[in-house]
């Protein structure tokens, strides 16, 4: 909470203007291109990071597929995750979130602009409709972020269980699956301190359809989790930037 207040205080002149712009974009999503929406997100996030004493280190940009129509699958550490991913990725992204946070300010507006989806984990039928909608969007060239844990881990840099169902849209769309390792993204909003914090976003080598087409979604989930955990483990053991390699 202290860091959020710091972000607002240091941008007190800009906050009303940027909030009005974001809400207008959200209410007129079809008036702007994905690139125009995303440019606004990045502007807001970069100002928030600078004023909030936050540094996002990004790695593996070369691993982002050349063609659009891919899905990022990051571990989930908290509310700051999306801000870190937006800061780290220059390609427009849409988001899939749980219905419980659909009315959280900023997340609500960003998801409306990005034409993302809220999923009701208690409603199987609604969940399947969302999966089919994402599948069609990805086939048309939209990029998504899906958190395979379904909810944030409360164990810092230790990911929770990756659910196989989270990968159904990717397997149906036959699109690249891009593991993303987030490190220390829980610190900005979970810690009461406003000291400078550095978070890391590692975009790992994608899994293309030919690699996973014969695997079950639970097997894909396990592979993605293992790759993310390898990067996090290397950092935790050495407290240095991971020098990871994947075949």
């Amino acid at each position: 909470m202290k860091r959020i207040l710091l972000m607002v205080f240091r941008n007190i002149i800009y906050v009303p203007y940027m909030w009005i712009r974001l809400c207008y974009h959200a209410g007129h999503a079809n008036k702007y291109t994905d690139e125009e929406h995303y440019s606004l997100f990045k502007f807001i996030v970069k100002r928030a990071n600078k004023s909030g004493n936050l540094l996002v280190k990004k790695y593996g940009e070369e691993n982002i597929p050349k063609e659009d129509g891919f899905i990022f699958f990051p571990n989930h550490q908290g509310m700051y995750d999306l801000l870190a991913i937006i800061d780290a990725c220059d390609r427009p992204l849409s988001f899939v979130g749980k219905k419980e946070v659909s009315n959280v300010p900023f997340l609500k507006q960003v998801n409306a602009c990005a034409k993302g989806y809220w999923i009701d984990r208690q409603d199987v039928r609604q969940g399947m409709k969302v999966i089919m909608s994402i599948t069609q969007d990805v086939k048309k060239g939209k990029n998504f972020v899906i958190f395979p844990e379904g909810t944030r881990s409360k164990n810092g840099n230790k990911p929770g269980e990756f659910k196989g169902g989270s990968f159904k849209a990717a397997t149906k769309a036959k699109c690249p699956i891009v593991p993303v390792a987030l490190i220390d993204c829980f610190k900005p909003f979970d810690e009461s301190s406003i000291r400078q914090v550095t978070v890391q976003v590692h975009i790992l080598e994608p899994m293309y359809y030919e690699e996973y087409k014969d695997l079950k979604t639970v097997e894909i989930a396990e592979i993605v989790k293992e790759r993310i955990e390898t990067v996090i483990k290397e950092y935790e053991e050495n407290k240095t930037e991971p020098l990871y390699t994947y075949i």
Side-chain angles (χ1 to χ4, degrees):
M1 179 58 73
K2 287 183 179 179
R3 196 177 302 274
I4 294 175
L5 292 175
L6 180 66
M7 290 175 174
V8 173
F9 178 75
R10 287 183 171 177
N11 287 285
I12 195 67
I13 297 176
Y14 293 95
V15 167
Y17 170 68
M18 296 312 300
W19 179 248
I20 291 171
R21 277 196 65 189
L22 181 61
C23 289
Y24 185 82
H25 271 244
H28 302 81
N30 292 327
K31 183 177 180 179
Y32 301 92
T33 65
D34 292 343
E35 288 74 17
E36 288 172 328
H37 284 306
Y38 203 68
S39 177
L40 175 62
F41 301 162
K42 288 188 73 72
F43 177 81
I44 293 173
V45 168
K46 287 187 179 297
R47 287 202 66 89
N49 285 342
K50 183 176 181 180
S51 60
N53 294 334
L54 296 169
L55 176 63
V56 177
K57 287 191 174 182
K58 55 184 178 179
Y59 308 86
E61 285 183 280
E62 68 279 3
N63 291 324
I64 299 176
K66 303 301 181 184
E67 296 184 3
D68 288 324
F70 57 82
I71 302 179
F72 277 2
F73 286 94
N75 54 308
H76 196 4
Q77 298 193 326
M79 298 289 285
Y80 184 73
D81 295 352
L82 281 182
L83 278 69
I85 293 170
I86 290 172
D87 189 289
C89 181
D90 293 332
R91 303 271 284 281
L93 298 167
S94 292
F95 313 98
V96 181
K98 58 185 179 180
K99 184 180 178 181
E100 291 87 335
V101 298
S102 61
N103 286 316
V104 174
F106 185 74
L107 294 182
K108 177 181 179 179
Q109 285 73 27
V110 167
N111 216 25
C113 292
K115 299 175 185 175
Y117 297 95
W118 301 112
I119 192 164
D120 186 345
R121 295 177 296 177
Q122 306 302 318
D123 188 335
V124 177
R125 179 174 295 182
Q126 187 267 356
M128 285 305 300
K129 287 183 179 179
V130 169
I131 288 172
M132 295 310 299
S133 296
I134 296 170
T135 299
Q136 294 305 313
D137 286 348
V138 172
K139 286 182 176 179
K140 294 176 183 176
K142 288 196 71 172
N143 311 313
F144 277 85
V145 176
I146 297 177
F147 293 100
E149 290 161 275
T151 189
R152 60 169 292 181
S153 168
K154 296 183 179 180
N155 296 310
N157 285 325
K158 185 177 180 180
E161 177 190 359
F162 279 29
K163 298 175 174 60
S166 302
F167 295 86
K168 286 183 178 179
T171 58
K172 290 181 180 296
K174 302 180 181 180
C175 72
I177 291 172
V178 186
V180 178
L182 302 180
I183 297 177
D184 290 342
C185 278
F186 62 93
K187 292 183 177 181
F189 294 159
D190 283 6
E191 295 184 347
S192 60
S193 171
I194 57 174
R195 63 181 176 81
Q196 182 168 338
V197 171
T198 298
V199 305
Q200 298 179 28
V201 179
H202 296 261
I203 302 169
L204 310 184
E205 290 186 10
M207 294 175 63
Y208 290 96
Y209 181 65
E210 289 300 314
E211 181 181 350
Y212 68 74
K213 66 179 181 179
D214 296 322
L215 300 176
K216 297 178 181 179
T217 54
V218 291
E219 295 173 320
I220 297 172
E222 188 60 31
I223 291 171
V224 171
K225 182 181 180 183
E226 286 178 359
R227 294 185 179 185
I228 290 173
E229 284 182 323
T230 297
V231 175
I232 296 175
K233 182 179 179 181
E234 187 173 344
Y235 169 74
E236 288 291 321
E237 289 179 348
N238 304 310
K239 292 301 179 183
T240 59
E241 298 168 7
L243 299 175
Y244 52 87
T245 57
Y246 290 109
I247 297 176

